[in-house]
Amino acid sequence: MKIMVLGAGTMGAGIVQVAAQAGFEVIVRDIKQEFVDNGIKGIDKGLSKMVEKGKMSADDKNAVMARISGTVDMAAAKDVDVVIEAAIENMDIKKAIFKELDEICKPECILASNTSALSITEIGAATKRADRVIGMHFFNPVPAMKLIEIIKGASTSQETFNTIKDLSIKLGKTPVEINEAPGFVVNRLLIPMLNEGMYAVMEGVASPEDVDTSMKLGAGHPMGPLALADMIGLDICLAIMQTLHREFGDDKYRPCPLLVKMVRAGKLGRKTGEGFFKY
Ligand SMILES: CC(=O)CC(=O)SCCNC(=O)CCNC(=O)[C@H](O)C(C)(C)COP(=O)(O)OP(=O)(O)OC[C@H]1O[C@@H](n2cnc3c(N)ncnc32)[C@H](O)[C@@H]1OP(=O)(O)O
Ligand SMILES: NC(=O)C1=CN([C@@H]2O[C@H](COP(=O)(O)OP(=O)(O)OC[C@H]3O[C@@H](n4cnc5c(N)ncnc54)[C@H](O)[C@@H]3O)[C@@H](O)[C@H]2O)C=CC1
């Protein structure tokens, strides 16, 4: 099975690494060669750390890297079996990508999105193969997080679901079956909590450090909500809150004004060097 990943960013690079480590040939496409190169360099760096820690042999690392290729050319999608899209969390961009893939890919190719919260049904409706469109929602950092949410849109076939469930297990993930609803499970529960942490900071209840310390020591979280938001990307967190707010029409999902301001200022967290914390 040949896999293509669209997007060599935070998530795309992690998905490529996991697929290559599981033994699959994987090609990664981004819109600029420098983004492709940076994504592949990041994978190489992560695997080198594992070699240094004695968790992987140098030969195995080289074999994994040999299974990865990169391109800026969408035509590379023509002979793959599964495409996993991890591009920007924007419905119009995702629909345009899926329409283009529908014209390039072979009829039996499955098209999956790693979207955080957007409708698989709506993405599928932009193609002529809605039965073969599905959500494969990985979690950040992809090599470390065991869960994958497999999201069925209204037209996703059982055959497509079964194929992707088998693939997810081969990728070393634990799949859960999600019948499409905004935010699926994890983001519907988790991101509003991060949003409330931002309200606590905005209202002067506590500093970012103390909000995070509170949830780590008081609730046993591995990372504080604000450090986690910085790792996810504040742009992604805002996009998810906006989707939940729009789709449910419930003000409990209103995005924190401080989050909106930080995204407008380009302070997106780790990926820009500053969010609630400096990196
Ligand atoms: C936004 C969406 O749509 C969906 C989402 O992703 S929501 C966000 C979901 N993710 C989370 O909630 C992450 C919460 N944080 C954690 O679980 C942990 O802090 C963490 C796994 C990120 C780091 O764990 P830690 O114990 O503090 O660090 P560390 O011991 O270095 O890492 C543990 C393992 O994870 C791996 N790891 C940690 N960070 C990593 C990274 N950035 N990339 C790859 N692997 C990583 C390490 O290699 C290590 O693996 P080994 O045990 O094989 O060495
Ligand atoms: N950041 C996170 O913690 C998580 C994000 N996601 C979702 O994964 C997707 C990607 O998120 P990130 O990796 O964080 O974003 P990112 O901004 O780090 O990476 C997105 C990449 O997509 C590329 N891209 C844009 N248009 C493209 C196209 N037409 N073809 C190929 N590549 C294209 C961009 O150049 C960029 O490199 C989003 O839908 C996001 O909601 C899902 C789970 C977790």
Side-chain angles (χ1 to χ4, degrees):
M1 179 184 271
K2 193 164 180 199
I3 298 173
M4 178 181 217
V5 176
L6 287 188
T10 305
M11 294 304 287
I15 296 167
V16 168
Q17 178 183 325
V18 161
Q21 278 185 257
F24 291 94
E25 287 285 316
V26 54
I27 182 161
V28 57
R29 189 257 174 179
D30 208 308
I31 52 179
K32 281 190 186 156
Q33 191 59 45
E34 80 179 273
F35 296 165
V36 175
D37 297 344
N38 289 343
I40 293 175
K41 269 191 211 115
I43 296 168
D44 191 272
K45 210 164 129 234
L47 293 179
S48 297
K49 272 195 209 142
M50 290 177 75
V51 172
E52 280 154 29
K53 285 198 236 173
K55 291 184 178 293
M56 177 182 271
S57 73
D59 287 349
D60 286 349
K61 180 208 161 204
N62 295 336
V64 171
M65 292 308 296
R67 285 193 280 271
I68 299 170
S69 58
T71 184
V72 293
D73 183 5
M74 272 294 253
K78 66 181 184 313
D79 55 5
V80 301
D81 303 295
V82 176
V83 180
I84 305 173
E85 171 272 322
I88 295 177
E89 186 71 350
N90 171 292
M91 182 54 92
D92 291 341
I93 293 179
K94 289 195 188 303
K95 284 161 81 169
I97 289 172
F98 274 71
K99 188 171 180 304
E100 193 179 356
L101 287 169
D102 197 28
E103 288 150 13
I104 298 169
C105 296
K106 52 192 185 187
E108 63 274 22
C109 178
I110 291 173
L111 308 181
S113 176
N114 181 52
T115 179
S116 291
L118 294 171
S119 166
I120 296 299
T121 303
E122 186 173 348
I123 293 170
T127 74
K128 299 186 185 65
R129 65 176 84 191
D131 63 315
R132 308 187 74 76
V133 173
I134 193 163
M136 284 182 87
H137 187 213
F138 294 83
F139 290 81
N140 188 353
V142 178
M145 308 309 286
K146 294 295 284 176
L147 183 72
I148 183 167
E149 289 178 319
I150 304 178
I151 302 109
K152 294 168 73 175
S155 311
T156 306
S157 71
Q158 191 59 41
E159 186 195 351
T160 297
F161 176 80
N162 295 343
T163 303
I164 292 301
K165 183 175 178 183
D166 290 347
L167 172 60
S168 300
I169 291 165
K170 287 195 179 99
L171 293 175
K173 300 299 177 189
T174 302
V176 293
E177 180 176 354
I178 304 288
N179 288 314
E180 179 185 297
F184 320 134
V185 170
V186 175
N187 284 346
R188 179 173 176 172
L189 276 66
L190 177 70
I191 309 300
M193 188 241 335
L194 309 189
N195 194 56
E196 282 310 306
M198 298 170 198
Y199 266 102
V201 171
M202 185 179 81
E203 293 163 6
V205 175
S207 68
E209 293 77 8
D210 284 354
V211 168
D212 277 17
T213 299
S214 302
M215 293 309 287
K216 285 192 286 187
L217 303 189
H221 289 195
M223 280 171 85
L226 302 171
L228 179 54
D230 276 355
M231 183 175 82
I232 291 167
L234 299 186
D235 51 335
I236 304 289
C237 293
L238 177 56
I240 295 166
M241 289 308 297
Q242 288 169 334
T243 298
L244 294 174
H245 195 202
R246 181 181 66 248
E247 298 274 325
F248 286 117
D250 188 331
D251 273 348
K252 74 179 179 182
Y253 295 115
R254 79 273 180 253
C256 174
L258 177 57
L259 172 60
V260 176
K261 184 158 73 170
M262 290 175 80
V263 171
R264 284 177 176 153
K267 295 181 178 178
L268 307 183
R270 277 192 198 186
K271 62 184 167 184
T272 58
E274 184 180 355
F276 285 94
F277 303 104
K278 286 190 167 39
Y279 300 89

